[in-house]
Amino acid sequence: QTPENYLNALNNIPNALANPEFTFYDKEKGSILYYAKIDEVTCYVVKLNLCHDYCYLASLFPTSLRKLEKKKEESYLRSDIFI
């Protein structure tokens, strides 16, 4: 990943939150992960941690399309983690 890719992901956070490819709720960590695609090759995850009365951006990291698809398949098997 390059600094330009990271800046592109940062600039696309509003779009990732509004139109994610996939959303995953991590009950154990109290966070929501928004999986997003910038293009056919570039995917990333926006992780928001949830607090009592607010949430905050905890991390932003790249992921592969394969991992995104694997997380989708995994969530279909475990309905307790699906939003």
Side-chain angles (χ1 to χ4, degrees):
Q1 296 292 341
T2 66
E4 291 81 19
N5 289 348
Y6 183 73
L7 288 174
N8 194 15
L10 278 176
N11 291 331
N12 278 293
I13 287 174
N15 187 45
L17 298 178
N19 301 305
E21 288 288 320
F22 178 67
T23 305
F24 179 82
Y25 174 62
D26 188 336
K27 188 175 182 178
E28 290 179 8
K29 295 181 181 176
S31 60
I32 300 176
L33 288 84
Y34 293 84
Y35 288 78
K37 278 194 330 189
I38 293 176
D39 55 40
E40 293 303 313
V41 179
T42 310
C43 299
Y44 63 100
V45 180
V46 177
K47 179 181 174 188
L48 297 180
N49 279 358
L50 308 174
C51 293
H52 296 290
D53 57 351
Y54 67 96
C55 66
Y56 62 93
L57 178 64
S59 58
L60 175 71
F61 53 93
T63 191
S64 67
L65 183 56
R66 184 170 183 242
K67 286 182 182 180
L68 186 152
E69 294 300 327
K70 185 177 178 183
K71 187 59 82 174
K72 279 185 186 179
E73 291 171 10
E74 182 183 298
S75 72
Y76 295 138
L77 299 175
R78 295 185 52 207
S79 61
D80 63 318
I81 60 174
F82 191 71
I83 291 182

